[in-house]
C-alpha cells in the first residue's frame, strides 16, 4: 500500500504526478474536457481559468441568486426530501439517479447518458461510460469516489451522431458543459448533478481507505453521513463507523487536490436537477430541481418516490468561529476524550437537515476561500464567484480577527 498521498503532503499542485496530466494547469480536476475535441477551448471553458457561474446563472435563470439559502444551495424552483419506495439494489442511496437516467432512455427522451462505471476487476476505480441501454445505466449504480474524466466521452458522442444526451456529473463537469454547450452540437442536454466536494485521485482514494478503515480490502460501500461520521459497509454486511473528528488529518491533508480545494460549487448549482443527501435526514435524499427541465425530470421520478417535508434543526453559526480558528492551524487530532465529547455534541446537538447542508457548505466555502487566498492569491478575482462573499459575510468579523483581513479585502502586498 502507498506510503502517503500521491502528490506528497504539502505539494500545491494538480492532483498527482500522473503522466497523462502533464501540461495541464496546476488547478485541474480532470473533468475530461481536455481529453476531448474541446481541448483548444480550455482557456474559455475551464472554471479554474475563470469561474463563470454568474454568467451561466443569468443565461439559465435570467437572474443571480437571492439572499438566503439560494446563496449556498444555488437557484432552485423546487426542493424535496425523498427516496425511492423500492430502492435500487447496490445504489449509493436509494437509486434515484439510476432510475432517472434509465427512464430517460426508456422514454426515448435521450439517446445516451454519460455516467461513471467501475473499472472491471476493481471495486472503486471509476471509468467513464456512454450508456445506450438501461442495462448499461444499471451497471453504473453507486459511487466510485474519485475523479472520472467523463467529458472525454464527448468525442464518442460526436462520432456516434448523438443529438440528445444526458450527463450525470460532478459540479465542475456540469459547469464545463454549460460553458461549452454551444460547441457540443446537441439538440438537447439534460444535466443531472451530484453534490461534490473533496474528490481525489483513485490512488489517493485507496490511500484514504487504507488509512481510515480497519479492513480496507473488504469495504464494498461507504458514505460520509449527516451524523458527522463515515459509514463503511464491509463484504459481510457489518458497518464500520469512523467519526469525522477521528480522521487523522495530519496524514490525509495531502490527498485533496488544489482544484477541489479551490472549488466553490458543492451543491452543483448549475445542473438541471441536483440529487444528493446532505440536506435530508439519514436514509433520505435531498433533491433540488433548478430549471424548468429539472422540474420535468423530478416529475418523471415522482410516481416512485416517498416524500417528506423539508426540515432543519440546530444552529450552525455557533460552531463557525471555532472552525475559522481551526483553519488557521495545522491539522492535528485533539486528545481522545475531547474527540469523544465533540463527536457526541455533533451527533446530538449539531445541525440537522437543511441546517447540516448549510453548515458543511459554508465550512467548505470558508476553507476553500482561505486556500485560494493563501496559495493562489493572483487567481482570487477570477475563480472565486460572487456568492462566496455573500455566503460567508456573516462571519466577516471572526474571519478578519483570525486572518488579519476580511474576505474580499486585498492583501497590502497586492495593493501596491
Ligand atoms: C465523489 C462524490 C462525492 C459526493 N459527495 C456528496 C456530498 O458531499 N453530499 C451529497 O449530498 N452528495 C454527495 N455525493 C452524491 C451522493 O453520494 C449520491 O451519489 C447521490 O445522492 C445519488 O445517490 P443515488 O442512490 O440516487 O445514486 P445511484 O443511483 O447509485 O447512482 C450513482 C451515480 O453516481 C455517478 N457517479 C459515481 N461515481 C461518480 C464519480 N466519481 N464522478 C461522477 N459521477 C459518479 C454514477 O454515474 C451513477 O449514475 C457525492 C458523489 C460522489 C461521486
Ligand atoms: S479541469 Fe477540465 S477543463 Fe480544466 S484543465 Fe482540467 S480537464 Fe481541462
Ligand atoms: S470538488 Fe469540485 S473540482 Fe473537485 S471534483 Fe468535485 S466538483 Fe470537481
Amino acid at each position: 500500500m502507498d506510503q502517503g498521498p500521491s502528490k506528497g503532503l504539502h505539494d500545491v499542485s494538480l492532483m498527482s504526478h500522473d503522466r497523462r496530466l502533464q501540461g495541464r494547469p496546476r488547478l485541474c480536476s480532470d473533468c475530461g474536457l481536455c481529453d476531448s475535441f474541446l481541448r483548444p477551448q480550455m482557456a474559455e471553458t475551464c472554471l479554474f481559468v475563470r469561474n463563470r457561474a454568474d454568467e451561466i446563472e443569468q443565461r439559465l435563470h435570467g437572474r443571480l441568486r437571492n439572499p438566503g439559502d439560494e446563496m449556498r444551495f444555488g437557484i432552485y424552483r423546487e426542493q424535496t426530501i425523498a427516496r425511492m419506495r423500492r430502492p435500487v439494489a447496490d445504489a449509493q442511496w436509494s437509486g434515484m439517479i439510476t432510475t432517472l437516467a434509465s427512464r430517460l432512455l426508456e422514454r426515448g427522451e435521450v439517446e445516451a447518458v454519460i455516467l461513471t462505471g467501475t473499472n472491471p476487476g476493481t471495486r472503486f476505480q471509476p471509468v467513464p461510460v456512454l450508456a445506450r441501454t438501461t442495462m448499461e445505466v444499471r451497471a453504473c449504480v453507486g459511487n466510485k469516489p474519485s475523479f472520472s474524466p467523463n467529458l472525454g466521452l464527448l468525442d464518442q458522442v460526436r462520432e456516434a451522431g448523438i443529438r440528445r444526451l444526458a450527463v450525470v456529473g460532478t459540479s465542475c463537469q456540469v459547469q464545463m458543459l454549460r460553458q461549452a454547450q454551444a460547441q457540443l452540437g446537441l439538440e438537447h442536454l439534460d444535466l443531472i448533478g451530484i453534490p461534490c466536494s473533496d474528490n481525489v485521485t483513485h490512488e489517493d482514494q485507496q490511500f484514504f481507505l487504507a488509512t481510515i478503515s480497519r479492513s480496507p480490502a473488504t469495504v464494498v460501500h461507504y458514505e460520509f453521513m449527516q451524523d458527522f461520521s463515515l459509514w463503511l459497509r464491509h463484504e459481510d454486511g457489518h458497518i464500520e463507523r469512523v467519526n469525522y473528528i477521528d480522521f487523522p488529518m495530519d496524514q490525509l491533508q495531502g490527498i485533496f487536490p488544489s482544484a477541489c480545494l479551490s472549488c466553490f460549487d458543492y451543491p452543483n448549482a448549475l445542473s438541471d436537477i441536483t440529487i444528493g443527501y446532505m440536506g435530508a435526514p439519514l436514509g433520505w435524499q435531498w433533491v433540488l430541481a433548478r430549471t424548468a427541465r429539472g422540474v420535468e425530470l423530478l416529475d418523471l421520478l415522482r410516481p416512485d418516490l416517498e416524500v417528506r417535508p423539508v426540515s432543519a434543526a440546530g444552529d450552525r453559526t455557533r460552531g463557525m468561529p471555532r472552525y475559522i480558528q481551526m483553519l488557521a492551524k495545522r491539522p492535528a487530532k485533539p486528545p481522545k476524550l475531547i474527540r469523544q465529547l465533540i463527536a457526541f455534541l455533533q451527533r446530538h446537538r449539531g445541525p440537522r437537515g437543511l441546517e447540516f447542508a448549510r453548515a458543511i457548505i459554508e465550512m467548505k466555502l470558508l476553507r476553500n476561500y482561505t486556500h485560494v487566498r493563501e496559495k493562489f492569491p493572483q487567481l482570487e478575482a477570477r475563480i472565486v464567484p460572487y456568492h462566496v462573499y455573500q455566503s460567508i459575510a456573516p462571519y466577516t468579523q471572526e474571519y478578519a480577527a483570525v486572518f488579519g483581513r476580511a474576505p474580499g479585502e486585498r492583501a497590502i502586498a497586492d495593493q501596491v
Side-chain angles (χ1 to χ4, degrees):
M1 178 40 59
D2 307 9
Q3 296 305 300
S6 63
K7 67 179 176 59
L9 263 183
H10 305 295
D11 196 356
V12 180
S13 80
L14 183 60
M15 53 182 78
S16 73
H17 297 297
D18 188 334
R19 290 183 62 190
R20 188 176 67 81
L21 303 171
Q22 280 173 7
R24 300 267 184 91
R26 285 201 303 170
L27 289 179
C28 168
S29 59
D30 201 13
C31 74
L33 186 110
C34 290
D35 297 326
S36 78
F37 68 95
L38 288 169
R39 184 173 182 139
Q41 266 89 61
M42 188 272 278
E44 295 81 51
T45 312
C46 183
L47 71 93
F48 298 111
V49 175
R50 181 176 294 281
N51 191 305
R52 295 177 172 87
D54 51 352
E55 291 165 27
I56 299 171
E57 283 175 353
Q58 287 287 7
R59 258 199 330 267
L60 266 187
H61 301 286
R63 66 176 176 89
L64 298 179
R65 304 176 185 199
N66 288 325
D69 273 344
E70 274 194 0
M71 279 300 159
R72 306 170 200 99
F73 301 164
I75 296 172
Y76 56 91
R77 293 173 184 229
E78 186 175 343
Q79 172 172 231
T80 189
I81 305 297
R83 63 183 176 201
M84 298 292 295
R85 282 179 209 284
R86 274 190 268 153
V88 175
D90 301 324
Q92 186 64 21
W93 285 79
S94 70
M96 289 172 69
I97 289 190
T98 299
T99 308
L100 178 57
S102 303
R103 196 146 294 164
L104 286 171
L105 280 175
E106 276 163 3
R107 292 168 55 93
E109 298 202 19
V110 299
E111 297 158 80
V113 188
I114 292 183
L115 303 127
T116 305
T118 312
N119 212 4
T122 74
R123 201 161 258 162
F124 289 114
Q125 187 166 24
V127 64
V129 169
L130 183 65
R132 309 291 300 254
T133 67
T134 55
M135 290 258 291
E136 287 165 342
V137 170
R138 182 69 189 71
C140 292
V141 75
N143 284 3
K144 277 60 69 174
S146 56
F147 292 120
S148 182
N150 292 352
L151 304 194
L153 289 174
L154 292 172
D155 284 355
Q156 274 187 46
V157 169
R158 197 164 70 153
E159 281 152 23
I162 292 163
R163 304 294 309 280
R164 283 170 291 122
L165 179 72
V167 178
V168 175
T170 56
S171 321
C172 53
Q173 290 168 338
V174 164
Q175 184 163 162
M176 305 302 184
L177 285 168
R178 287 284 185 217
Q179 187 58 21
Q181 197 159 346
Q183 277 106 64
L184 299 179
L186 295 172
E187 176 181 294
H188 178 86
L189 175 64
D190 286 330
L191 291 176
I192 303 169
I194 47 174
C196 185
S197 171
D198 299 345
N199 212 346
V200 291
T201 59
H202 175 63
E203 55 189 326
D204 286 335
Q205 182 262 340
Q206 297 288 295
F207 171 70
F208 170 78
L209 272 189
T211 309
I212 288 287
S213 174
R214 284 193 295 269
S215 170
T218 59
V219 175
V220 291
H221 179 282
Y222 65 89
E223 188 60 275
F224 297 82
M225 302 298 265
Q226 305 97 314
D227 65 353
F228 295 86
S229 70
L230 173 69
W231 293 23
L232 306 110
R233 194 171 72 236
H234 289 265
E235 282 165 354
D236 63 3
H238 92 272
I239 307 272
E240 178 186 2
R241 291 184 197 180
V242 185
N243 294 326
Y244 296 161
I245 190 74
D246 291 325
F247 285 12
M249 288 314 294
D250 49 340
Q251 293 167 51
L252 291 173
Q253 59 163 330
I255 68 174
F256 301 116
S258 300
C260 297
L261 294 174
S262 308
C263 168
F264 298 97
D265 189 9
Y266 195 169
N268 212 322
L270 304 175
S271 63
D272 289 302
I273 186 168
T274 298
I275 303 183
Y277 62 89
M278 62 188 168
L282 270 179
W284 292 78
Q285 291 189 257
W286 181 49
V287 184
L288 295 159
R290 302 182 179 283
T291 58
R293 177 60 182 162
V295 176
E296 286 174 10
L297 296 175
L298 180 55
D299 287 342
L300 288 181
L301 276 175
R302 260 188 249 272
D304 297 311
L305 297 180
E306 192 184 344
V307 293
R308 60 181 284 171
V310 171
S311 62
D315 177 3
R316 72 189 183 288
T317 59
R318 281 200 315 208
M320 221 52 93
R322 198 181 134 70
Y323 178 73
I324 292 169
Q325 284 160 16
M326 276 170 45
L327 284 179
K329 298 183 184 143
R330 287 188 83 76
K333 228 161 128 173
K336 191 166 180 195
L337 267 179
I338 307 264
R339 294 203 310 273
Q340 283 173 339
L341 178 67
I342 293 174
F344 176 86
L345 291 175
Q346 284 180 327
R347 193 156 300 149
H348 298 284
R349 310 264 164 80
R352 289 187 296 287
L354 285 191
E355 190 69 359
F356 177 83
R358 293 177 189 125
I360 54 169
I361 289 171
E362 286 180 354
M363 286 160 83
K364 297 293 161 78
L365 292 180
L366 283 159
R367 185 199 63 182
N368 291 9
Y369 177 68
T370 306
H371 179 81
V372 169
R373 223 164 66 159
E374 283 177 1
K375 309 290 186 194
F376 304 98
Q378 73 287 5
L379 294 184
E380 176 174 344
R382 282 198 275 132
I383 68 169
V384 181
Y386 74 99
H387 57 83
V388 176
Y389 300 98
Q390 303 204 28
S391 298
I392 62 180
Y395 311 111
T396 298
Q397 245 183 329
E398 289 91 344
Y399 195 91
V402 171
F403 290 102
R405 63 192 163 106
E409 197 180 314
R410 291 165 68 209
I412 292 173
D414 298 340
Q415 290 171 21
V416 287

